[in-house]
Amino acid sequence: MTGYDWSDDDTDYASAVGRTWIVMVVSLLCVVFVVGAAVALGLGLFGLSGMLSLISD
């Protein structure tokens, strides 16, 4: 092709940056979900043991 300057073609770079952001957001959501589930489980077990100790007293 004549008349087109391919040196400024950033299409591939821009799409790679977009995909990187999507992967980062999905990864962050997974980490938040896992940490939240661990905290909820920990608080649930702590609350359950507290309720059982109140019942047994």
Side-chain angles (χ1 to χ4, degrees), residues 42-54:
L43 291 176
L45 291 177
F46 178 71
L48 181 64
S49 68
M51 285 193 326
L52 290 175
S53 70
L54 285 175

Side-chain angles (χ1 to χ4, degrees), residues 5 7 24 32 34 44 46:
D5 184 14
S7 63
M24 286 176 56
V32 167
V34 168
F46 178 71

Side-chain angles (χ1 to χ4, degrees), residues 25-53:
V25 168
V26 169
S27 300
L28 182 64
L29 289 175
C30 289
V31 168
V32 167
F33 176 75
V34 168
V35 169
V39 168
L41 181 66
L43 291 176
L45 291 177
F46 178 71
L48 181 64
S49 68
M51 285 193 326
L52 290 175
S53 70

Side-chain angles (χ1 to χ4, degrees), residues 4-24:
Y4 188 82
D5 184 14
W6 289 98
S7 63
D8 284 339
D9 188 20
D10 289 335
T11 306
D12 291 336
Y13 175 77
S15 70
V17 169
R19 286 190 302 270
T20 302
W21 276 108
I22 290 170
V23 169
M24 286 176 56

